[in-house]
Amino acid sequence: MSFWNRRVQEISTEYDRGELNLSQGTIQKTIGYTHPQYTAKLYQKYQDDKGLDLIKDPDFGNPQRLKEYSQSTLRCLDYARYLESFGMRIGEVDSITDFGSGYGNFCRIWKLWNQQIKFYNCDLPEMLDIQKHYIENTVENTEGVEYITHKELDKVKKKNKSLFIAAYSLSECSLDVRTEVEPYLAMYDYILIVHNIEFDGIDNVNYFTDLQKRRLNSYECKYEIDEDSAKWWLVCKRI
């Protein structure tokens, strides 16, 4: 049984007991995870950001927070500002696929930035149930919010620019799943993939270096270790 198959079983067992609690058990160790030093670093980095006040975490789900902000929320802002530095404008993006959507917090934030956005939460069926629960309790306008598995990526639609985000997700899939996802990457105008060096015996640096050559040769890409997270970030935009 794979790492995530085991974790999903544990998460489902905890979630089935009742209300969503992001600060306890396996749920806290995975989708609700907080690294105190990293969270503090991100808060210090963005404490004067003009968009910070808008995205405060609600109480629902009991996320661990630093001065009203979870690590997940500060990461989402960090990713957005990084993409902006690479040429993306938040207002031009009308379709996002969040591959491995955690508990649905990125959807909450992007719907605050743009209520008309099409937001595709892409995950395992058990995780989609949790995301739907969280989003329906924290997002005022859920029109355009979709829940799909990786086998339904052909359902993704856009009118203007699209974004594919995969933070600690595509890099934690089997090679079989990655192979199924790869052909869909060319649908997107912007791509951001964040990952650890390796997962389950797979050298992710080699894999994503090769992926750029095989699937992303019509994109401008930057691939580097992010100083704050100490993880590898691959960002690409269509040329």
Side-chain angles (χ1 to χ4, degrees), residues 7-25:
R7 288 294 179 267
V8 166
Q9 283 188 357
E10 295 168 6
I11 289 169
S12 296
T13 299
E14 291 177 3
Y15 177 64
D16 286 345
R17 291 174 188 159
E19 65 184 41
L20 175 64
N21 190 335
L22 295 163
S23 296
Q24 289 186 355

Side-chain angles (χ1 to χ4, degrees), residues 1 7 14 23 44 57 72 93-94 101-102 112 118 135 141 143 145 160 171 174 185 205 232:
M1 182 180 291
R7 288 294 179 267
E14 291 177 3
S23 296
Q44 183 176 9
D57 284 82
S72 171
V93 175
D94 66 2
S101 309
L112 289 170
K118 291 281 290 184
I135 289 165
N141 175 17
E143 184 178 355
V145 177
N160 191 18
S171 60
S174 68
L185 295 177
V205 178
W232 283 88

Side-chain angles (χ1 to χ4, degrees), residues 5 26 48 54-55 61 76 79 87-88 96 114 125 136 140 145 147 152 176 186 202 209 225 229 236:
N5 284 335
T26 302
D48 297 321
L54 177 66
I55 61 175
C76 187
Y79 295 162
M88 188 197 81
I96 295 178
N114 178 2
E136 288 183 345
E140 184 176 339
V145 177
Y147 304 90
E152 299 174 292
D176 287 343
I202 301 171
T209 298
I225 297 177
S229 63
C236 299

Side-chain angles (χ1 to χ4, degrees), residues 29-233:
K29 293 175 184 176
T30 50
I31 58 176
Y33 180 72
T34 296
H35 187 286
Q37 290 79 16
Y38 178 43
T39 305
K41 187 180 294 186
L42 289 179
Y43 179 77
Q44 183 176 9
K45 184 176 181 179
Y46 292 110
Q47 59 184 328
D48 297 321
D49 188 283
K50 64 184 184 298
L52 188 61
D53 189 60
L54 177 66
I55 61 175
K56 290 178 182 177
D57 284 82
D59 292 333
F60 185 82
N62 189 32
Q64 295 182 337
R65 288 171 283 189
L66 171 66
K67 298 184 184 295
E68 301 183 276
Y69 301 96
S70 67
Q71 176 178 292
S72 171
T73 291
L74 293 169
R75 278 200 304 121
C76 187
L77 180 60
D78 196 31
Y79 295 162
R81 297 296 182 245
Y82 185 74
L83 284 158
E84 286 179 321
S85 74
F86 201 61
M88 188 197 81
R89 290 183 291 110
I90 287 178
E92 71 177 344
V93 175
D94 66 2
S95 176
I96 295 178
T97 300
D98 186 6
F99 186 89
S101 309
Y103 59 92
N105 192 39
F106 284 14
C107 177
R108 176 186 72 85
I109 294 169
W110 276 92
K111 288 293 280 185
L112 289 170
W113 288 336
N114 178 2
Q115 290 194 8
Q116 280 68 54
I117 203 161
K118 291 281 290 184
F119 198 101
Y120 296 87
N121 298 278
C122 183
D123 218 316
L124 299 169
E126 299 89 341
M127 301 304 296
L128 293 175
D129 289 340
I130 293 174
Q131 291 151 19
K132 187 174 184 180
H133 182 198
Y134 178 81
I135 289 165
E136 288 183 345
N137 282 277
T138 59
V139 175
E140 184 176 339
N141 175 17
T142 57
E143 184 178 355
V145 177
E146 304 288 346
Y147 304 90
I148 61 173
T149 68
H150 79 278
K151 293 183 179 294
E152 299 174 292
L153 284 167
D154 59 343
K155 294 182 178 180
V156 173
K157 294 179 174 59
K158 69 167 186 173
K159 291 181 180 178
N160 191 18
K161 301 292 186 180
S162 58
L163 168 63
F164 178 90
I165 300 177
Y168 311 102
S169 52
L170 185 60
S171 60
E172 298 185 0
C173 291
S174 68
L175 289 176
D176 287 343
V177 171
R178 298 186 199 199
T179 299
E180 291 178 314
V181 172
E182 282 184 17
Y184 294 101
L185 295 177
M187 297 191 309
Y188 296 92
D189 299 285
Y190 297 98
I191 296 167
L192 177 63
I193 297 171
V194 179
H195 67 83
N196 288 302
I197 292 175
E198 66 87 30
F199 185 81
D200 228 10
I202 301 171
D203 185 322
N204 277 323
V205 178
N206 283 344
Y207 171 79
F208 285 107
T209 298
D210 183 61
L211 179 69
Q212 292 178 72
K213 299 173 184 176
R214 290 187 292 105
R215 296 288 187 180
L216 303 174
N217 53 16
S218 62
Y219 287 74
E220 177 187 348
C221 295
K222 181 164 64 172
Y223 191 34
E224 62 185 0
I225 297 177
D226 171 65
E227 183 177 341
D228 294 328
S229 63
K231 307 301 182 184
W232 283 88
W233 290 29

